[in-house]
Amino acid sequence: MSVSDQLATNVGRLMTPARNGLLGRLRRGIEKEGLRVDGHGAIVATPHPHALGSKLTHPHITTDYSEALLEYITPVYCRPADALSFLGDLLRFSYRHLDGEWIWPASMPSRLQGNDSIPIADYGTSNVGTMKHVYRKGLDARYGRIMQSIAGIHYNVSFPENLWPMLQELEGRQDESLQGYRSGRYFDLIRNFRRNSWLLLYLFGASPALDKSFLGGGENGRAAKLQPLGEQTLQAPYATSLRMSDLGYQNKVQSQLKICFNSLSNYVGTLRHAISTEWPDYRRIGVDVDGEWRQLSANILQIENEYYSDIRPKRVARHDETPTQALEARGVEYIEVRCLDLNPFLPLGIDEPQMRFLDTFLFWCLLSESPWIPDDECDRLDDNRRLVVERGRDPALELQVGDRRMTVKARGQEIIHGMREVAELLDAIEGDDLHVAAIDTLAMRLDDPSLTPSARMLEAMKAHGGEWADFMTDLAKAQAEQWRSTPMDEAREALFAQQIETSHQQQQDIEAEDQVSFAQFIADYFSRAREPRSAA
């Protein structure tokens, strides 16, 4: 059975249950990051506002790497519009408590004054809060803070629980445990995502330029692929997402891990090896040096979350588990898409058509054939992603797709054709035509690259005067005015106000309950982290 035949067969078998309301609905949540900046577009050094709650314990408003890098987390919703509505109210609430500061709307950061201008987030005096801070100190020692100031959108999706036993029966795999089957199928999805995620970078990449300060104060080899746009701005004319290029997130040590997501056991085993294996360069940094903690360990990864990938299998962990132990014990619960730039033209950085496109793309990845990825294919997939982030809108660009060379447009249209069948399935579940409409609208970006966010960004910057930071600062202020001038949901406003007080009290309680030294706390953590967990 060909790839297209398998997809058509799967969609055909699921269509009747979908129309009869038997499949259930996808669930999704959004995590959105954004730097706090001043009126000149420079990153701020002020602490996380007390009026936004404790970043250690607040369920929806926290920080990522930096004290200045806000992170908003929505609950899980079945309807994209509900997640966007909640996210919008988080921004409205924040702007009531930001005085002379704005939220940067782009992924590549604002004006920086060197590495030390990016304050590392401080989570208080508890052992768990200190661990989060020391982990970030380790990231600074290993990669520098500038790389960590990049922002993005993380999109979390889980498929309906009703889907798994239905698919399992259709595929004749009832001899497997449902948990093992579900995890294996999520890894099938992830492999197809890795093969085709370049399409998301082309369609949604929105970082074709950056401020020169991002390069750390000098023209160097990293800027060789860039051209000047303004006095303080560099661009790559055909780039889609410099955030995802070697200018953005990069880790040569991690690249030797070779995680291509062939199985849950391989994934867990590789990450456990990485958090248990010392790396010479990191040993030279030191860990606890005369009472000063420089990093959590000298191993390839300090903790599992240090591993960077454009997609992750996830399971909500219990208090005594690491992320991989949670996966081992209870299997994959959802997936986290991590390759999405903030779209500065969208006040939330993402909108409903993009969410529906992503849902369709992920379902297409799940229902299509997904053989294991050997090392040589893994390298080719990395090459395809690199080419698209650096010059995805170049009409002469060709990708390696199996044994074929194909243009971005030609291969993209093949994928869209298959996705349209899946969009019809999702619309049957929802009783509307919004997924097909999203596919048809966004597919136009393959025919006309000028419609992509990256191309629109460059044109808008040129019209504005050519400076990345000035354009983004003005855009941030315009969006702030929009959030300040629109009302919040009253029930949500009351909830947020209550969560501020509760989160500060929870942090105080955690700090008061610590019974062991930080050194003992870390020793106990890593002792537990090395323990395998049995599947439920």
Side-chain angles (χ1 to χ4, degrees):
M1 185 184 295
S2 72
V3 173
S4 58
D5 287 343
Q6 175 168 324
L7 176 68
T9 299
N10 284 334
V11 171
R13 288 172 170 175
L14 294 173
M15 188 60 80
T16 298
R19 287 174 175 150
N20 293 332
L22 301 177
L23 269 191
R25 301 168 78 180
L26 275 70
R27 291 160 57 83
R28 74 277 291 165
I30 302 170
E31 301 170 30
K32 177 190 184 296
E33 300 161 347
L35 281 171
R36 288 184 293 118
V37 301
D38 65 19
H40 301 289
I43 187 172
V44 299
T46 55
H48 181 74
H50 186 272
L52 296 184
S54 163
K55 52 190 174 292
L56 178 67
T57 55
H58 197 291
H60 304 301
I61 305 175
T62 182
T63 55
D64 192 74
Y65 176 81
S66 173
E67 190 76 2
L69 185 53
L70 288 165
E71 182 174 2
Y72 298 106
I73 304 167
T74 75
V76 176
Y77 287 104
C78 289
R79 296 195 328 137
D82 292 337
L84 293 170
S85 173
F86 192 97
L87 183 58
D89 276 346
L90 286 173
L91 285 161
R92 291 183 184 95
F93 185 81
S94 296
Y95 268 117
R96 296 185 179 191
H97 302 287
L98 292 180
D99 184 17
E101 295 180 356
W102 289 265
I103 300 171
W104 193 248
S107 283
M108 297 307 283
S110 56
R111 290 191 171 106
L112 307 172
Q113 298 294 325
N115 193 70
D116 292 345
S117 69
I118 302 163
I120 298 175
D122 180 355
Y123 295 89
T125 61
S126 67
N127 282 330
V128 66
T130 301
M131 181 178 179
K132 291 168 77 73
H133 182 72
V134 172
Y135 167 59
R136 285 157 173 77
K137 288 179 67 176
L139 296 178
D140 177 20
R142 295 172 177 217
Y143 323 117
R145 303 182 193 183
I146 288 178
M147 185 178 96
Q148 307 298 326
S149 66
I150 299 171
I153 292 269
H154 294 171
Y155 190 63
N156 302 309
V157 176
S158 62
F159 288 88
E161 285 305 307
N162 292 355
L163 172 68
W164 303 115
M166 202 172 295
L167 271 181
Q168 189 177 25
E169 183 177 354
L170 290 173
E171 295 173 4
R173 294 169 60 179
Q174 295 96 321
D175 56 328
E176 301 177 41
S177 71
L178 182 59
Q179 176 178 309
Y181 171 79
R182 182 185 62 219
S183 291
R185 295 297 276 113
Y186 268 122
F187 272 81
D188 292 344
L189 180 162
I190 291 171
R191 288 195 300 279
N192 274 336
F193 183 96
R194 297 278 293 168
R195 290 182 171 101
N196 300 288
S197 61
W198 59 264
L199 179 61
L200 304 184
L201 300 173
Y202 173 85
L203 293 173
F204 305 119
S207 52
L210 50 81
D211 191 81
K212 286 183 178 180
S213 63
F214 180 78
L215 299 178
E219 303 293 326
N220 53 37
R222 298 174 66 205
K225 300 172 184 176
L226 302 179
Q227 301 174 10
L229 181 62
E231 289 186 10
Q232 298 300 319
T233 301
L234 296 170
Q235 55 124 356
Y238 291 116
T240 60
S241 177
L242 295 180
R243 166 181 174 264
M244 295 296 294
S245 74
D246 59 7
L247 288 167
Y249 293 113
Q250 55 177 324
N251 188 322
K252 292 183 175 64
V253 176
Q254 285 190 27
S255 65
Q256 52 99 33
L257 293 176
K258 286 293 181 191
I259 297 178
C260 276
F261 301 96
N262 285 326
S263 69
L264 175 58
S265 60
N266 170 262
Y267 177 76
V268 168
T270 306
L271 287 184
R272 186 164 288 142
H273 166 78
I275 65 169
S276 306
T277 303
E278 195 172 65
W279 191 255
D281 288 345
Y282 299 158
R283 182 176 64 243
R284 284 189 281 273
I285 294 170
V287 179
D288 179 4
V289 181
D290 299 327
E292 177 206 351
W293 282 80
R294 298 179 178 177
Q295 53 185 341
L296 293 175
S297 77
N299 297 332
I300 295 171
L301 301 177
Q302 298 174 87
I303 56 175
E304 295 153 12
N305 284 347
E306 188 174 340
Y307 173 66
Y308 186 78
S309 174
D310 54 3
I311 188 169
R312 283 180 183 168
K314 298 293 287 283
R315 158 72 60 177
V316 175
R318 297 170 180 168
H319 76 280
D320 61 342
E321 292 177 323
T322 68
T324 55
Q325 287 172 330
L327 288 171
E328 270 185 314
R330 297 182 303 287
V332 182
E333 181 179 13
Y334 65 98
I335 51 98
E336 178 187 40
V337 176
R338 300 171 55 83
C339 62
L340 302 174
D341 285 357
L342 295 168
N343 185 339
F345 296 115
L346 301 173
L348 292 171
I350 189 171
D351 63 6
E352 189 168 340
Q354 181 176 346
M355 293 173 71
R356 292 189 181 277
F357 186 98
L358 291 168
D359 294 341
T360 308
F361 180 78
L362 293 169
F363 215 162
W364 173 80
C365 287
L366 177 70
L367 297 180
S368 301
E369 185 181 11
S370 182
W372 281 26
I373 300 177
D375 285 349
D376 59 337
E377 184 186 1
C378 205
D379 292 337
R380 288 198 303 273
L381 301 183
D382 290 340
D383 288 340
N384 283 348
R385 282 190 295 274
R386 177 183 54 79
L387 289 169
V388 171
V389 300
E390 292 178 356
R391 53 187 191 96
R393 287 179 285 106
D394 183 346
L397 176 64
E398 290 187 334
L399 306 177
Q400 187 70 39
V401 182
D403 57 0
R404 299 180 293 169
R405 299 286 298 174
M406 300 186 71
T407 64
V408 166
K409 177 180 177 179
R411 177 53 184 158
Q413 288 175 334
E414 278 190 353
I415 295 171
I416 293 290
H417 179 73
M419 285 178 60
R420 208 172 191 287
E421 296 181 59
V422 178
E424 291 170 357
L425 176 64
L426 286 170
D427 283 343
I429 295 173
E430 300 289 343
D432 55 35
D433 62 355
L434 296 178
H435 292 89
V436 168
I439 297 301
D440 290 345
T441 298
L442 292 166
M444 291 190 288
R445 297 178 183 178
L446 287 167
D447 292 317
D448 185 356
S450 71
L451 298 175
T452 60
S454 55
R456 292 179 59 211
M457 284 285 297
L458 289 178
E459 287 305 307
M461 275 191 292
K462 291 172 186 175
H464 189 272
E467 295 296 355
W468 163 262
D470 293 340
F471 176 55
M472 284 298 124
T473 301
D474 287 348
L475 199 54
K477 291 178 178 178
Q479 291 178 0
E481 190 59 35
Q482 175 182 339
W483 293 123
R484 288 186 173 120
S485 63
T486 53
M488 286 182 63
D489 177 274
E490 291 184 2
R492 232 174 253 156
E493 184 176 11
L495 171 68
F496 294 163
Q498 187 269 328
Q499 287 174 332
I500 301 307
E501 182 179 345
T502 301
S503 67
H504 283 302
Q505 185 60 54
Q506 288 173 332
Q507 177 173 334
Q508 292 174 23
D509 293 344
I510 291 171
E511 291 171 350
E513 290 169 2
D514 279 344
Q515 300 294 319
V516 299
S517 68
F518 180 65
Q520 186 61 52
F521 175 84
I522 291 299
D524 292 344
Y525 174 88
F526 283 116
S527 175
R528 291 195 308 272
R530 287 188 287 269
E531 298 172 358
R533 298 292 171 97
S534 299

